[in-house]
């Protein structure tokens, strides 16, 4: 089994013996205020067992509540794109960037690259950088992603998709990225399942 603890949030998963022994000991030694099974909130993420359209069960992880809290940064009209952000706007930029960092590092994997480009501007953002960050906020709110973890069977394999490009960013830095999946064995029907387990 596995046990994850963050301050006063606890997440436990495992077989029957693990759950009986560990949960029993926790209840004995600590006061448990609230307990859920199969549909829980853990550090801002909703984790639940659900089924796809064909009835296959899987674990869905989303941060929809945190996505809903995202808001664009208000900008004055008529300001040049190249204008450096004044202190108050700079603070707002870093605040929204921090919210997106929390999201993109856990469930919003399609937005990792855009976040990385905005983070590169965090030291001295311009109005154009704020506009790019606002566009990212809109994208996340329009197309939020969730993670799906399937019960996998057979001799599992690790599949990696690395990506890199030399000096392709607007500031001439180099881009890199990766996605790693845990997957079932190949089969001739092309319906083996896999789960995204790491990304950058």
């Amino acid at each position: 089994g596995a046990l994850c603890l963050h301050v006063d949030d606890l997440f436990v998963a495992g077989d029957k013996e693990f759950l009986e022994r560990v949960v029993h000991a926790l209840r004995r030694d600590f006061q448990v205020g609230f307990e859920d099974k199969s549909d829980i909130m853990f550090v801002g993420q909703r984790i639940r067992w659900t089924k796809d359209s064909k009835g296959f069960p899987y674990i869905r992880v989303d941060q929809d509540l945190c996505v809903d809290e995202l808001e664009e940064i208000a900008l004055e009209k008529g300001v040049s794109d190249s204008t450096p952000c004044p202190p108050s706007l700079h603070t707002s930029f870093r605040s929204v960037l921090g919210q997106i960092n929390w999201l993109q590092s856990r469930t919003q994997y399609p937005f990792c690259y855009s976040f990385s480009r905005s983070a590169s501007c965090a030291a001295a953002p311009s109005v154009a950088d704020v506009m790019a960050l606002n566009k990212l906020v809109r994208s996340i709110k329009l197309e939020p992603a969730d993670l799906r973890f399937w019960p996998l069977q057979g001799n599992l394999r690790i599949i990696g998709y690395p990506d890199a490009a030399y000096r392709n960013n607007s500031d001439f830095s180099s881009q890199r990225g990766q996605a790693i999946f845990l997957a079932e064995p190949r089969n001739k029907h092309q319906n083996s399942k896999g789960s995204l387990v790491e990304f950058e």
Side-chain angles (χ1 to χ4, degrees):
L3 184 149
C4 300
L5 173 67
H6 179 75
V7 188
D8 62 350
D9 271 6
L10 187 67
F11 181 92
V12 182
D15 63 18
K16 185 177 180 182
E17 181 185 0
F18 178 84
L19 293 175
E20 285 177 353
R21 292 175 64 181
V22 171
V23 174
H24 173 75
L26 288 169
R27 287 187 184 128
R28 183 191 66 222
D29 296 337
F30 299 97
Q31 181 180 354
V32 177
F34 192 72
E35 184 178 328
D36 275 326
K37 293 180 180 177
S38 301
D39 188 347
I40 66 168
M41 288 294 292
F42 179 66
V43 293
Q45 301 168 106
R46 186 178 182 194
I47 304 163
R48 60 190 158 127
W49 277 103
T50 188
K51 293 181 179 179
D52 68 7
S53 59
K54 296 180 180 178
F56 290 111
Y58 67 93
I59 296 171
R60 180 176 190 249
V61 181
D62 71 63
Q63 291 181 296
D64 291 349
L65 290 175
C66 296
V67 169
D68 290 344
E69 293 173 359
L70 270 183
E71 291 188 14
E72 293 182 49
I73 301 167
L75 282 170
E76 291 182 26
K77 292 184 178 180
V79 180
S80 169
D81 290 359
S82 60
T83 304
C85 289
S88 61
L89 195 56
H90 191 179
T91 299
S92 296
F93 182 91
R94 293 175 68 91
S95 176
V96 172
L97 194 66
Q99 286 179 282
I100 295 175
N101 185 27
W102 168 254
L103 290 166
Q104 66 86 30
S105 66
R106 282 156 182 83
T107 62
Q108 304 307 304
Y109 47 90
F111 306 106
C112 291
Y113 181 76
S114 298
F115 166 79
S116 178
R117 299 316 310 141
S118 288
S120 296
C121 308
S126 66
V127 168
D129 297 325
V130 174
M131 292 170 67
L133 192 64
N134 280 345
K135 182 178 179 181
L136 179 55
V137 168
R138 290 193 298 274
S139 297
I140 292 172
K141 291 178 81 71
L142 286 170
E143 299 179 56
D146 62 356
L147 292 179
R148 298 179 179 196
F149 296 97
W150 302 91
L152 304 176
Q153 299 176 357
N155 293 321
L156 303 183
R157 57 199 173 113
I158 296 173
I159 302 173
Y161 296 96
D163 181 44
Y166 181 65
R167 295 174 61 88
N168 65 313
N169 295 321
S170 56
D171 61 358
F172 301 109
S173 62
S174 298
Q175 170 259 321
R176 69 177 190 185
Q178 64 161 338
I180 299 174
F181 294 82
L182 189 62
E184 292 180 337
R186 293 179 186 273
N187 66 54
K188 61 184 178 181
H189 304 296
Q190 297 183 346
N191 64 354
S192 58
K193 291 185 169 50
S195 298
L196 180 67
V197 294
E198 175 64 17
F199 60 91
E200 178 185 14

